[in-house]
């Protein structure tokens, strides 16, 4: 049986993960997607549009990190906690890839990222206290919505931007896998009204971050 870490160790881990989330240079992807170092074929308008989408996706990954870490603070079952850690670590790689893509487009992440992280951490911790199964369901729904967003974005990319298209295709597959893992760990399917509210909340985040 996996031994539960002392609470102090968990808080140290949370602090380290927050730094990795909010300081992009510390985030590294173990399986980077090959992306072009420069997109000379993109017009200024197209590059601005793609950067906006990548910024939205980066903010979404920051929110997911907050949800995962908040949930893990109060996870009761070691196997569920281990599953969350595995998916969160993989998502940290996604965060690094979106950071890299933003740099290639001469852009940056949203300045509101720390606020998004703190808000998501609070939501994750709250749902974790209320119900581990509810929390896992929230994670599954969040990952599923992210996968759908990435799939939708592929059709809105400039034809010449194969680098971003490759990136989105890869992460969409992994997001669906994370959602399935969360459900298998005991997550419950959230009712439609809750998922509708979640989509509305992220649309607000998207509008805030697209332009910077």
């Amino acid at each position: 049986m996996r031994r539960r870490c002392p609470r102090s160790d968990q808080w140290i881990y949370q602090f380290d993960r927050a730094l990795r989330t909010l300081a992009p240079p510390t985030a590294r992807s173990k399986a980077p997607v090959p992306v072009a170092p420069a997109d000379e074929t993109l017009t200024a308008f197209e590059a601005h549009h793609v950067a906006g989408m990548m910024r939205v996706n980066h903010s979404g990954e920051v929110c997911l990190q907050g949800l995962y870490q908040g949930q893990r603070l109060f996870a009761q079952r070691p196997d569920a906690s281990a599953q969350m850690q595995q998916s969160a670590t993989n998502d940290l790689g996604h965060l690094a890839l979106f950071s890299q893509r933003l740099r290639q487009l001469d852009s940056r992440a949203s300045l509101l990222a720390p606020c998004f992280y703190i808000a998501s951490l609070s939501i994750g911790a709250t749902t974790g206290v209320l119900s581990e199964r509810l929390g896992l369901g929230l994670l599954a729904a969040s990952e599923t919505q992210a996968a759908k967003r990435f799939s939708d974005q592929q059709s809105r990319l400039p034809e010449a931007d194969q680098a971003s298209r490759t990136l989105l295709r890869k992460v969409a597959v992994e997001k669906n896998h994370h959602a399935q893992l969360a459900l298998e760990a005991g997550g419950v399917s959230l009712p439609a009204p809750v998922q509708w509210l979640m989509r509305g909340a992220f649309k607000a985040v998207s509008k805030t971050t697209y332009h910077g």
Side-chain angles (χ1 to χ4, degrees):
M1 179 179 295
R2 190 186 299 269
R3 186 169 62 88
R4 192 174 177 81
C5 295
R7 182 67 66 181
S8 59
D9 289 350
Q10 292 185 48
W11 282 105
I12 293 173
Y13 172 83
Q14 298 298 335
F15 180 72
D16 175 74
R17 185 52 62 99
L19 289 179
R20 291 175 180 272
T21 299
L22 300 174
T26 67
R28 294 287 181 267
S29 174
K30 293 182 179 180
V33 174
V35 291
D39 290 283
E40 298 176 354
T41 57
L42 296 182
T43 66
F45 175 80
E46 289 174 334
H48 176 77
H49 173 59
V50 174
M53 287 194 287
M54 295 301 113
R55 189 178 301 108
V56 168
N57 295 338
H58 181 277
S59 297
E61 293 301 313
V62 169
C63 291
L64 271 170
Q65 285 296 314
L67 287 177
Y68 273 112
Q69 303 320 319
Q71 288 285 340
R72 290 196 68 235
L73 283 174
F74 300 99
Q76 298 300 312
R77 292 179 295 125
D79 58 332
S81 179
Q83 182 275 315
M84 293 179 203
Q85 181 176 358
Q86 179 182 358
S87 293
T89 298
N90 190 249
D91 278 347
L92 197 63
H94 298 164
L95 187 70
L97 289 170
F98 287 126
S99 295
Q100 178 187 2
R101 193 72 187 114
L102 282 167
R103 290 194 298 272
Q104 291 172 342
L105 294 164
D106 293 323
S107 192
R108 57 166 176 77
S110 172
L111 297 176
L112 295 175
C115 299
F116 295 146
Y117 182 82
I118 293 172
S120 298
L121 183 72
S122 300
I123 293 171
T126 300
T127 53
V129 169
L130 293 175
S131 168
E132 187 173 80
R133 295 187 65 199
L134 174 63
L136 287 165
L138 177 65
L139 291 171
S142 299
E143 294 278 22
T144 298
Q145 287 188 17
K148 185 178 185 304
R149 182 174 73 255
F150 297 151
S151 297
D152 291 344
Q153 285 180 348
Q154 291 179 47
S155 64
R156 295 189 281 116
L157 287 170
E159 188 63 31
D161 191 3
Q162 294 302 316
S164 296
R165 190 168 282 105
T166 298
L167 171 57
L168 294 176
R169 188 179 299 118
K170 172 182 170 59
V171 293
V173 171
E174 294 181 354
K175 290 297 181 189
N176 282 321
H177 180 58
H178 293 172
Q180 185 60 36
L181 288 176
L183 293 175
E184 290 176 356
V188 295
S189 296
L190 300 183
V194 175
Q195 297 195 38
W196 181 84
L197 287 173
M198 290 173 60
R199 286 193 293 270
F202 195 77
K203 282 183 179 179
V205 172
S206 299
K207 290 181 178 179
T208 303
T209 58
Y210 178 85
H211 294 289

